[in-house]
Amino acid sequence: MQATTAAAAAAQLLTDTRRGPRCSRARLGATRLSWPGRFAVEAFAGRCQSSATTVTHRFSAISQATSPRRKARRQCSDDQSALQAGCSKVNRDQHGYDVNWFEEISQEVSKKLRAFYQFCRPHTIFGTIIGITSVSLLPMKSIDDFTATVLKGYLEALAAALCMNIYVVGLNQLYDIQIDKINKPGLPLAAGEFSVATGVFLVVTFLIMSFSIGIHSGSVPLMYALVVSFLLGSAYSIEAPLLRWKRHALLAASCILFVRAILVQLAFFAHMQQHVLKRPLAATKSLVFATLFMCCFSAVIALFKDIPDVDGDRDFGIQSLSVRLGPQRVYQLCISILLTAYAAATIVGASSTHLLQKIITVSYPF
């Protein structure tokens, strides 16, 4: 509307300019010179100034109205950037915390597993595995005997024997903590890696597991072996009247010899022969030979294991043969027994009628 009015005023001004000034006569006869374009210009200038002022006021109002929005938008953008930076930092910190936590857990688990490995006394575990495996093979007559049933019976006997082995060596460590601090400071109970409560829990757990496997198998020879091992292993270590047989050299050696040489050979042979293969129980030449050889070998184990423990055994009143005779003399005695056993094994092997048995038995000592 204002633009239209301004355009009309400009057109009128152009017309009046072309015509020039006009003379008008007044009512009383006097003349007066007038220029209508002048008034049109003044009116046009006033309207333009008014329009400019109005536009300026409106722009100021719009600017003032939109300024808080811009500030809010800018503040929101700044807050969003800060939030993203904070989230990134939290994520990095959380990721670093997770990595550190995982590493700590991994190290702790690895440490406990190593301690458990030492608690089980790995050399006795290896001996049990080799002994059970070798005697379980004695009843086998042909390749047809190696069936799934035989494998199941063998694994039951091996698992039960290993659990009982851990019970025996764990119980011994529980009663020998002070001695082991001198003789074997690296063992977990002596080193403080396992508490006494942890040791008791492990011992009881593996004892229960051993008997559970034996009962589930339904094998009388296997249960007989487990019960006798439990009784002799407990009598060997427990500090009680008429017990703690490890204080006496003869009783300690007798426990080890009877379990390793006689009980393992006869009971586990009967388990495989009678319970698994369902054959009549009968002694074989290989069983007699293995039992006699293991008697010599077990005697060496019983004597040799006390050689590194002389100082601790002497301080705590354990009269082992190494304490009585001295480590050097016991060492020489063990070597002589081993040489005798391997010489006898070589002679027996050479007289065998089976070529494979002859080759294995004769070449093994060498």
Side-chain angles (χ1 to χ4, degrees):
M1 182 67 182
Q2 292 177 356
T4 305
T5 305
Q12 184 65 35
L13 177 62
L14 181 60
T15 304
D16 292 343
T17 303
R18 290 175 179 176
R19 292 178 179 178
R22 293 181 301 177
C23 292
S24 62
R25 185 175 298 274
R27 181 176 300 179
L28 296 178
T31 58
R32 184 176 63 184
L33 179 66
S34 65
W35 192 5
R38 172 180 159 209
F39 297 104
V41 170
E42 291 178 356
F44 175 73
R47 292 190 189 98
C48 290
Q49 185 177 2
S50 176
S51 298
T53 303
T54 302
V55 172
T56 301
H57 287 321
R58 290 182 178 178
F59 181 77
S60 298
I62 293 172
S63 299
Q64 291 176 0
T66 57
S67 179
R69 296 179 183 176
R70 292 178 179 177
K71 291 181 180 179
R73 191 180 296 111
R74 189 181 301 110
Q75 182 67 30
C76 181
S77 178
D78 294 340
D79 292 343
Q80 185 176 4
S81 300
L83 181 61
Q84 290 177 352
C87 290
S88 299
K89 184 176 184 302
V90 169
N91 288 334
R92 288 194 301 269
D93 294 342
Q94 182 69 25
H95 179 69
Y97 172 77
D98 291 341
V99 171
N100 293 334
W101 178 82
F102 181 76
E103 290 179 352
E104 291 177 359
I105 294 297
S106 298
Q107 292 175 359
E108 186 66 21
V109 171
S110 178
K111 181 180 178 181
K112 293 301 182 183
L113 288 177
R114 287 195 299 268
F116 177 72
Y117 178 77
Q118 294 299 326
F119 180 81
C120 295
R121 307 300 284 145
H123 65 280
T124 64
I125 295 294
F126 297 148
T128 299
I129 294 174
I130 295 172
I132 299 299
T133 303
S134 61
V135 75
S136 297
L137 292 174
L138 294 180
M140 306 301 166
K141 295 181 178 180
S142 66
I143 196 67
D144 295 334
D145 290 336
F146 292 92
T147 62
T149 302
V150 170
L151 178 61
K152 179 177 179 292
Y154 161 73
L155 292 177
E156 286 177 341
L158 181 62
L162 288 176
C163 291
M164 184 59 67
N165 185 94
I166 295 174
Y167 162 78
V168 171
V169 297
L171 184 69
N172 185 62
Q173 291 176 69
L174 284 173
Y175 283 94
D176 283 357
I177 294 178
Q178 299 302 321
I179 299 176
D180 290 338
K181 288 181 178 180
I182 300 174
N183 295 334
K184 302 162 186 166
L187 293 179
L189 288 173
E193 295 178 338
F194 280 172
S195 64
V196 175
T198 301
V200 172
F201 172 78
L202 291 174
V203 164
V204 173
T205 300
F206 280 100
L207 178 64
I208 295 173
M209 289 173 60
S210 179
F211 280 128
S212 299
I213 295 171
I215 293 172
H216 181 266
S217 70
S219 173
V220 175
L222 180 59
M223 281 302 301
Y224 175 78
L226 296 177
V227 171
V228 175
S229 297
F230 163 71
L231 294 175
L232 292 181
S234 301
Y236 181 86
S237 299
I238 293 177
E239 185 74 48
L242 302 179
L243 300 180
R244 191 68 169 172
W245 290 1
K246 67 178 299 179
R247 290 184 179 275
H248 309 284
L250 182 60
L251 288 177
S254 299
C255 283
I256 297 174
L257 190 147
F258 181 80
V259 172
R260 291 287 181 182
I262 300 176
L263 184 65
V264 169
Q265 307 302 315
L266 300 182
F268 285 93
F269 178 88
H271 166 73
M272 296 299 296
Q273 177 86 350
Q274 189 176 31
H275 177 73
V276 177
L277 295 173
K278 307 299 182 181
R279 294 172 181 168
L281 183 61
T284 62
K285 293 181 179 180
S286 58
L287 176 63
V288 174
F289 167 74
T291 303
L292 294 176
F293 181 85
M294 285 305 299
C295 285
C296 299
F297 202 83
S298 299
V300 172
I301 293 175
L303 298 176
F304 204 88
K305 74 177 188 63
D306 293 330
I307 294 177
D309 301 339
V310 173
D311 294 334
D313 291 347
R314 184 184 295 111
D315 293 341
F316 286 87
I318 297 177
Q319 298 298 315
S320 65
L321 201 63
S322 296
V323 173
R324 293 183 176 184
L325 302 180
Q328 188 64 32
R329 296 180 64 182
V330 173
Y331 176 80
Q332 294 297 332
L333 177 62
C334 291
I335 296 299
S336 299
I337 295 175
L338 280 178
L339 290 175
T340 302
Y342 281 116
T346 303
I347 295 172
V348 172
S351 61
S352 175
T353 56
H354 296 84
L355 180 61
L356 182 60
Q357 292 181 357
K358 180 181 297 187
I359 293 174
I360 294 175
T361 310
V362 172
S363 61
Y364 177 76
F366 303 100

